[in-house]
Amino acid sequence: RAQATRLYSAGDPLTILASDSLKETLHNSSTAWLVEFYSSWCGHCIQYSPTWKALAGDVKDWDQGIKLGVLDCAFEKNFDICKEFGIHFYPTFRFFKAHSTTFDVGKTYGGADRELQTMRQLMVSFLQNHSREEWPSKCPQLEPSGSADVLAQLGQKAEEYTAIIIEEEDSYVGREVILDLMKYEGVTVKRALGSEKLLLEKLGIAALPSAYLLEPSGKHGLMNVEKRLRFFFSSYLKLLPGVRRKQALSARALGPARMSGSAVAVVWKDFDKSKVYMADLESGLHYLLRVELASHQTLEGEELKTFKDFVTVVAKLFPGRQSVVKLLETLLEWLVSLPLERIPYDAILDLVNNKMRISGMFLSDQLQWVGCQGSRPELRGYPCSLWTLFHALTVQAAQRPDALANTGLEEDPQAVLQTMRRYVHTFFGCQECGRHFEEMAKESLDQVKSLQEAVLWLWRKHNQVNNRLAGALSDDPHFPKTQWPTPNLCPACHEEKDGLHVWNEEKVFHFLMDYYGAANISPKYTL
Ligand code: FAD
């Protein structure tokens, strides 16, 4: 089995097929499929696998219309099925229609161009070729709307947003945005063609592609995006108020969302997504020091070392109020001065809880989530604040490289990340998260050679986690996990290369330095 999945692993956003699952998965499926039959010994397949994985990630949200799969024909158990499907060369790409019959061996794509963008466009065209009867039931229609249809909707009140992508006939952007938004509610995406001159004139459209937005109130106008690219359109729509990822039934059963004004309502705090909130950082520290760590009766050995290093890093780098920094510094001095090899956690709690008011040291013991508030009590909160704290600390280390002088951590650009890694591994209450984080750290943390790379490493890994968790039950429908920063926060961070979204990492770095910098931390709502 290990051999069968050598180029692809369970963590990739695609389905690994095998002889015993191929037919039952593909035949009579409610969605279409594109399958790469490969051979793990074929050099070209090995070289192509990163493109295939990138494609799978790019179209992950299209899976109610078309899914991606792989099957390794070099795996002994798959010899017969590859023969039955007539696979002679590797890789062979086969499309299977939704609701296909048991005799269907798929339609081969034999073109020489296997670039990601070409494959993605082929997926769209293949999907569109389904007849009405074959159409995957959860997939929205991809045909363009006519002027009359669109114009009739102008100025009408509606339950949700409608976005219209107006484009050239050979453009794929409209269909791609429709598919990108398939799993979201609160917005319907349509497309119309630039050949509809009347429409262009009425909507005041001068360049293609363009996107036009009809709001539920009846207001309408051109969608204001920095770059007229698929990623910008899709991202803009996902972030509209009231637009959210559709949730599985079990998630809905957890109860109504607080933001929708239910009986469990807690006062909602308005906040600005372009800011970091001190209330989140302080609430996170409070929870970490008084709840998470307090479940340990004593600290000794490696645990104590991890705790000391963690306190060192926060005491030196926490970009917070004087009263909190003073508390952390006092805690650090106390820990350093104690020759003990074993500390009862109650002693630490005494210091954190009691002494503080005396000399201007104070950390509120109220949880006050702002940028980290969730639409239900069990969502967001502490883990969100921990990420926020970690990002703020890496940014502080890059902005103030001397801050860790004389702590024993000053020479190491990985010091902050390694300390967080050990904290998460040793103390973070979500053990599964700790395990995943440890895997990511093992894989690439040793490649971090500067404080700038440390900032970017954490950003990249956080996005990797966001990607894995998008659509999971822990995903707050009002704050869907997304690749961050979104184009509205940092348009310059996003570019497109060969049809694929790419980051401008230099711009991302500068954005992170500003966003998590002390000047961007709002004191609003602190207690
Ligand atoms: P969060 O992901 O917590 O993000 C908080 C804020 O950080 C966002 O609102 C945004 O403003 C900003 N942000 C988002 N992405 C980035 C980025 N790439 N760079 C910089 N800033 C960003 N949950 C699991 O179910 N499984 C796991 O394996 C798992 N692992 C975790 C590992 C760690 C180290 C941590 C701290 C948490 C982990 N969690 C895991 C929890 C999960 O990642 C979220 O924190 C939680 O679901 C709350 O999500 P959120 O919507 O508040 O956003």
Side-chain angles (χ1 to χ4, degrees):
R1 174 133 207 117
Q3 193 192 5
T5 59
R6 214 166 60 188
L7 300 189
Y8 300 96
S9 66
D12 295 325
L14 44 72
T15 305
I16 296 171
L17 297 160
S19 58
D20 52 357
S21 61
L22 184 78
K23 288 187 186 171
E24 78 187 49
T25 308
L26 301 183
H27 292 151
N28 206 21
S29 162
S30 59
T31 68
W33 282 83
L34 171 55
V35 180
E36 181 198 13
F37 291 85
Y38 74 100
S39 167
S40 46
W41 51 254
C42 135
H44 181 74
C45 301
I46 297 170
Q47 278 163 35
Y48 189 67
S49 62
T51 306
W52 195 253
K53 285 183 199 181
L55 174 65
D58 193 32
V59 301
K60 193 170 156 230
D61 274 349
W62 299 10
D63 64 358
Q64 290 174 342
I66 184 162
K67 292 191 170 90
L68 282 195
V70 286
L71 185 129
D72 185 356
C73 292
F75 186 43
E76 212 176 338
K77 274 195 172 168
N78 293 336
F79 284 177
D80 286 346
I81 197 87
C82 290
K83 195 166 154 205
E84 188 181 335
F85 275 66
I87 309 297
H88 302 303
F89 304 105
Y90 311 114
T92 291
F93 300 97
R94 290 268 171 92
F95 281 103
F96 295 81
K97 277 195 168 173
H99 314 297
S100 63
T101 66
T102 34
F103 302 108
D104 190 359
V105 291
K107 183 170 181 286
T108 300
Y109 167 66
D113 179 0
R114 293 162 181 173
E115 294 296 313
L116 186 150
Q117 188 172 14
T118 311
M119 298 308 280
R120 193 176 69 215
Q121 294 179 350
L122 281 168
M123 288 171 77
V124 174
S125 302
F126 182 76
L127 196 50
Q128 211 171 353
N129 253 336
H130 282 69
S131 67
R132 194 176 277 273
E133 296 74 47
E134 296 164 333
W135 193 257
S137 59
K138 292 193 174 155
C139 184
Q141 290 299 322
L142 301 174
E143 292 304 318
S145 303
S147 308
D149 254 12
V150 177
L151 293 175
Q153 265 186 282
L154 283 192
Q156 302 292 325
K157 285 203 162 86
E159 300 238 306
E160 55 176 31
Y161 289 93
T162 300
I164 300 130
I165 313 291
I166 303 109
E167 58 184 347
E168 304 282 11
E169 196 164 352
D170 58 356
S171 153
Y172 281 84
V173 175
R175 286 169 284 181
E176 288 170 348
V177 176
I178 294 175
L179 293 170
D180 286 346
L181 270 292
M182 184 192 316
K183 289 189 159 175
Y184 286 74
E185 58 191 13
V187 61
T188 301
V189 187
K190 297 181 175 184
R191 56 188 281 257
L193 299 182
S195 50
E196 304 270 1
K197 296 293 174 220
L198 178 68
L199 188 67
L200 262 60
E201 196 183 301
K202 292 266 184 210
L203 304 186
I205 286 168
L208 298 178
S210 276
Y212 201 82
L213 190 65
L214 314 183
E215 298 186 20
S217 64
K219 253 177 76 180
H220 53 93
L222 269 176
M223 216 159 88
N224 187 13
V225 288
E226 194 91 5
K227 299 178 192 168
R228 300 197 323 274
L229 300 172
R230 164 194 170 203
F231 188 80
F232 279 69
F233 292 140
S234 294
S235 176
Y236 182 98
L237 294 173
K238 287 177 191 175
L239 292 171
L240 286 171
V243 171
R244 53 185 210 164
R245 194 177 256 281
K246 289 176 196 160
Q247 290 247 297
L249 274 177
S250 46
R252 287 185 193 282
L254 290 172
R258 246 195 290 163
M259 273 168 72
S260 58
S262 68
V264 283
V266 168
V267 178
W268 185 256
K269 295 172 216 72
D270 283 329
F271 72 101
D272 177 352
K273 282 193 178 166
S274 65
K275 294 223 160 293
V276 172
Y277 285 82
M278 190 58 79
D280 290 321
L281 291 171
E282 289 186 2
S283 296
L285 268 185
H286 152 62
Y287 186 90
L288 181 149
L289 288 169
R290 296 199 183 100
V291 183
E292 187 158 79
L293 284 165
S295 65
H296 295 254
Q297 288 201 332
T298 49
L299 297 179
E300 59 185 315
E302 268 310 298
E303 282 187 357
L304 183 56
K305 168 95 178 76
T306 299
F307 179 65
K308 276 187 181 168
D309 284 348
F310 185 79
V311 174
T312 306
V313 166
V314 257
K316 299 292 176 191
L317 295 172
F318 187 68
R321 294 195 280 180
Q322 201 45 42
S323 52
V324 177
V325 173
K326 199 157 177 206
L327 173 77
L328 293 166
E329 279 172 348
T330 309
L331 177 59
L332 177 60
E333 275 166 29
W334 182 75
L335 284 170
V336 171
S337 67
L338 270 182
L340 296 179
E341 289 186 356
R342 189 165 184 267
I343 301 184
Y345 200 78
D346 277 350
I348 295 167
L349 275 180
D350 276 352
L351 190 141
V352 173
N353 288 334
N354 296 331
K355 275 198 180 173
M356 51 199 178
R357 287 189 190 271
I358 306 168
S359 44
M361 300 190 289
F362 179 67
L363 174 65
S364 163
D365 60 1
Q366 304 289 311
L367 287 177
Q368 178 84 332
W369 306 123
V370 182
C372 283
Q373 64 196 315
S375 63
R376 284 199 305 267
E378 72 278 14
L379 297 173
R380 309 195 74 224
Y382 179 57
C384 168
S385 71
L386 203 57
W387 278 120
T388 311
L389 175 68
F390 287 173
H391 290 296
L393 295 176
T394 53
V395 163
Q396 284 299 309
Q399 284 175 349
R400 299 189 284 129
D402 296 334
L404 289 175
N406 306 319
T407 62
L409 300 173
E410 59 273 31
E411 296 294 327
D412 182 5
Q414 295 173 11
V416 175
L417 292 177
Q418 293 288 10
T419 306
M420 289 170 195
R421 170 189 187 173
R422 280 161 48 222
Y423 182 89
V424 168
H425 189 58
T426 317
F427 297 117
F428 190 33
C430 168
Q431 263 191 340
E432 193 61 12
C433 306
R435 203 175 53 73
H436 282 134
F437 196 70
E438 182 56 29
E439 273 171 21
M440 295 195 298
K442 263 198 197 129
E443 217 174 77
S444 58
L445 186 46
D446 60 350
Q447 289 156 23
V448 170
K449 302 282 185 254
S450 68
L451 293 169
Q452 169 169 352
E453 284 172 24
V455 172
L456 283 170
W457 185 89
L458 192 64
W459 159 75
R460 225 176 274 126
K461 296 300 140 186
H462 191 171
N463 268 344
Q464 213 169 305
V465 175
N466 292 341
N467 191 35
R468 182 160 46 80
L469 297 182
L473 280 183
S474 60
D475 199 8
D476 189 328
H478 291 277
F479 299 92
K481 297 269 185 315
T482 172
Q483 294 303 284
W484 192 96
T486 47
N488 60 327
L489 283 178
C490 179
C493 295
H494 300 267
E495 286 171 5
E496 201 177 89
K497 192 165 170 259
D498 300 330
L500 184 65
H501 168 265
V502 286
W503 294 99
N504 180 328
E505 294 205 348
E506 202 187 317
K507 295 282 190 325
V508 171
F509 175 71
H510 290 298
F511 174 81
L512 290 169
M513 296 293 273
D514 286 342
Y515 182 88
Y516 285 107
N520 195 43
I521 303 180
S522 165
K524 201 171 169 192
Y525 300 114
T526 42
L527 295 167

